[in-house]
């Protein structure tokens, strides 16, 4: 996901640089300077580049973006002359290299002001793309993680049912459930790009307590959920150490509540 977002951000920055050029040319046009065909060419390059990027990512604001380019698509008040992106960047394209003459009823500065509103709105939609993709991918990644964890919880449950009262089986099912729960929480941390605070800092890798503290600090889980998770991990740890006493009912709770908590911690 990070690689995808990096590429999206890089492409958006490239298009923003092009947008700055388009905006500068558009402003010069309003003052009567000769800017065609540069404005038309760069304006079209920017629009086509942005729109394709939005479509590829199934962006929810494509229709709104198109409305900024051609205001007749969603402007109930009607399309005003020379004001939206499409109309403005094409002003004077029939007289390249010549100074345009604005119609008597049209003011260049006024048209530029209205064009600016459409253009800035369109730019803001592009800049929001990464946030939408990040939120969407976050849901996909954590949902996949839960599905995997769910399968592991089910496996643990089946072992417990198939070999009742057999200590080795009880311990094995508890260990499987514990691993599934920890893996899911780590996925949540990574998908949210959180940094785990390690305590003490000398530890080579973060432990479960560090993961839970981070999730609580970032308000992904609350204090009650953290307390219950600590209790569940304690059961899982007991299952992994033969010297610790375990109860089948505790392992059942680890599996059931571990699965339920994984479904809501995303």
């Amino acid at each position: 996901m990070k690689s995808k977002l990096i590429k999206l951000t890089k492409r958006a920055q490239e298009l923003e640089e092009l947008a700055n050029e388009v905006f500068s040319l558009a402003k010069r046009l309003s003052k009567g300077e000769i800017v065609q065909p540069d404005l038309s060419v760069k304006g079209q390059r920017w629009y086509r580049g942005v729109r394709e990027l939005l479509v590829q990512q199934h962006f929810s604001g494509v229709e709104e973006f198109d409305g900024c380019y051609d205001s007749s698509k969603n402007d109930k008040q009607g399309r005003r002359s020379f004001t939206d992106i499409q109309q403005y960047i094409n002003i004077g394209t029939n007289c390249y290299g010549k100074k345009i003459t604005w119609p008597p009823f049209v003011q260049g500065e006024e048209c530029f002001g209205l064009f600016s509103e459409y253009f800035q709105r369109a730019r803001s939609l592009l800049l929001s793309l990464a946030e939408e993709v990040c939120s969407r991918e976050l849901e996909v990644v954590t949902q996949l993680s839960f599905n995997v964890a769910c399968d592991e919880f089910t496996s643990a449950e089946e072992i417990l049912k198939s070999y009742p009262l057999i200590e080795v089986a009880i311990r094995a099912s508890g260990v499987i459930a514990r691993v599934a729960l920890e893996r899911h929480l780590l996925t949540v941390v990574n998908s949210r790009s959180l940094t785990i605070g390690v305590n003490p800092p000398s530890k080579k890798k973060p432990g479960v307590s560090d993961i839970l503290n981070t999730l609580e600090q970032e308000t992904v889980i609350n204090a009650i959920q953290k307390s219950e998770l600590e209790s569940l991990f304690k059961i899982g740890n007991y299952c992994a150490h033969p010297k610790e006493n375990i109860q089948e009912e505790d392992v059942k709770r680890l599996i059931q509540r571990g699965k339920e908590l994984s479904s809501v911690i995303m």
Side-chain angles (χ1 to χ4, degrees):
M1 183 175 74
K2 287 184 179 179
S3 176
K4 182 177 182 178
L5 288 175
I6 289 172
K7 291 178 181 178
L8 279 177
T9 302
K10 183 176 183 297
R11 180 56 179 152
Q13 289 174 343
E14 294 171 349
L15 290 167
E16 265 296 282
E17 291 175 4
L18 183 57
N20 288 332
E21 295 182 45
V22 173
F23 189 76
S24 177
L25 289 168
K27 189 172 184 178
R28 289 170 54 193
L29 177 71
S30 70
K31 298 180 181 301
E33 296 184 34
I34 299 173
V35 297
Q36 296 293 14
D38 283 353
L39 176 58
S40 177
V41 172
K42 291 183 177 180
Q44 288 294 339
R45 283 175 51 203
W46 175 84
Y47 169 69
R48 305 297 168 184
V50 173
R51 191 180 191 284
E52 180 59 25
L53 188 63
L54 300 183
V55 170
Q56 287 178 2
Q57 303 305 321
H58 306 288
F59 182 59
S60 62
V62 172
E63 185 176 345
E64 185 179 353
F65 180 79
D66 284 340
C68 294
Y69 180 73
D70 179 356
S71 59
S72 66
K73 294 182 180 297
N74 57 14
D75 194 338
K76 296 179 181 179
Q77 297 179 347
R79 192 180 193 187
R80 296 184 61 178
S81 300
F82 308 113
T83 58
D84 60 26
I85 298 173
Q86 182 186 45
Q87 294 178 108
Y88 195 91
I89 65 174
N90 289 315
I91 295 173
T93 52
N94 60 340
C95 52
Y96 286 164
K98 298 180 181 179
K99 187 175 181 178
I100 70 164
T101 301
W102 295 89
F105 58 90
V106 175
Q107 296 294 324
E109 290 290 343
E110 180 183 358
C111 289
F112 174 71
L114 293 170
F115 157 80
S116 296
E117 292 183 15
Y118 284 116
F119 194 57
Q120 296 303 335
R121 192 191 314 166
R123 292 176 74 169
S124 68
L125 289 170
L126 169 63
L127 295 176
S128 70
L129 173 62
E131 294 299 326
E132 179 171 299
V133 171
C134 183
S135 296
R136 187 190 310 135
E137 294 294 324
L138 173 64
E139 176 64 23
V140 171
V141 170
T142 51
Q143 186 59 50
L144 286 173
S145 171
F146 170 66
N147 290 341
V148 172
C150 188
D151 289 341
E152 292 177 328
F153 284 125
T154 299
S155 297
E157 193 172 29
E158 289 176 351
I159 291 174
L160 204 59
K161 288 181 179 178
S162 299
Y163 304 96
L165 305 178
I166 298 178
E167 183 178 343
V168 173
I170 296 173
R171 290 185 181 277
S173 61
V175 170
I176 292 172
R178 185 204 178 284
V179 171
L181 183 57
E182 182 177 1
R183 183 185 294 124
H184 177 70
L185 294 181
L186 272 173
T187 300
V188 172
V189 168
N190 292 330
S191 65
R192 289 175 174 267
S193 300
L194 303 179
T195 300
I196 301 175
V198 180
N199 186 26
S202 57
K203 283 199 302 187
K204 292 184 178 181
K205 58 182 295 186
V208 168
S209 61
D210 300 317
I211 296 172
L212 295 179
N213 286 335
T214 299
L215 291 174
E216 183 185 29
Q217 290 169 5
E218 298 293 338
T219 66
V220 178
I221 62 175
N222 57 41
I224 296 175
Q225 290 173 321
K226 179 188 175 185
S227 178
E228 184 171 12
L229 285 166
E230 288 173 337
S231 173
L232 296 179
F233 277 113
K234 187 175 182 180
I235 295 171
N237 291 338
Y238 281 176
C239 289
H241 296 87
K243 293 183 179 180
E244 300 288 351
N245 293 323
I246 58 168
Q247 300 295 324
E248 186 172 345
E249 289 303 314
D250 289 336
V251 175
K252 287 181 179 179
R253 181 165 68 88
L254 165 60
I255 296 171
Q256 181 180 348
R257 287 300 293 153
K259 186 175 181 179
E260 290 171 351
L261 286 168
S262 295
S263 70
V264 296
I265 299 173
M266 295 289 188

